[in-house]
Amino acid sequence: MEREASYKTRKVISIGTVSELTGLSERQIRYYEERKLVFPERSKRGSRKYSFLDVETLIDIANKREEGVRTEEIRSELKRKKKKDDQALSKMIQGQLNAQFGIRKK
């Protein structure tokens, strides 16, 4: 499972490839970055690098935009989802620690 997580989250895809995969123009992708909806990393030469998770997010954003959803609403939804995912991860880690050390909730 750890290997799958790193595969989806590693930032290795160029903006050109992301454009081909999503059908979005490079300008649209940069716009979504400006609107703080995606967060690519920069290579040593300054090129944007995206993950497969970013590609999925961009496709989701594009679909929502086609439905007329504003970028501010999408950003709020993404923040809520991230918070929920972070809480679930924290709960899972706490459960693993509890199991490792034989701690039981009462």
Side-chain angles (χ1 to χ4, degrees):
M1 189 67 162
E2 182 66 24
R3 175 177 264 168
E4 181 181 337
S6 65
Y7 163 76
K8 285 193 94 167
T9 59
R10 285 186 52 216
K11 307 266 185 175
V12 296
I13 308 168
S14 71
I15 193 168
T17 302
V18 171
S19 177
E20 289 181 42
L21 290 170
T22 62
L24 297 168
S25 69
E26 290 183 18
R27 177 66 196 119
Q28 287 173 302
I29 296 166
R30 287 190 295 271
Y31 173 76
Y32 294 141
E33 178 186 357
E34 291 168 13
R35 302 296 296 165
K36 302 202 184 309
L37 299 174
V38 291
F39 304 92
E41 289 181 2
R42 296 291 183 135
S43 70
K44 291 179 183 178
R45 293 185 168 180
S47 300
R48 290 170 173 85
K49 295 293 184 180
Y50 297 85
S51 68
F52 284 104
L53 193 57
D54 292 329
V55 171
E56 290 175 3
T57 299
L58 284 163
I59 291 169
D60 189 41
I61 291 166
N63 290 335
K64 285 180 174 29
R65 292 290 295 144
E66 283 182 12
E67 295 169 2
V69 181
R70 295 182 4 239
T71 56
E72 295 85 9
E73 295 172 63
I74 296 170
R75 185 172 40 258
S76 294
E77 183 180 322
L78 290 171
K79 283 182 181 178
R80 281 192 302 275
K81 184 182 181 311
K82 182 175 180 353
K83 184 176 180 181
K84 185 177 177 183
D85 290 348
D86 289 349
Q87 289 172 339
L89 179 62
S90 177
K91 197 172 194 178
M92 180 190 72
I93 291 170
Q94 187 61 52
Q96 290 175 344
L97 288 170
N98 289 350
Q100 179 69 30
F101 294 106
I103 301 169
R104 293 184 178 219
K105 278 190 163 181
K106 293 183 180 187

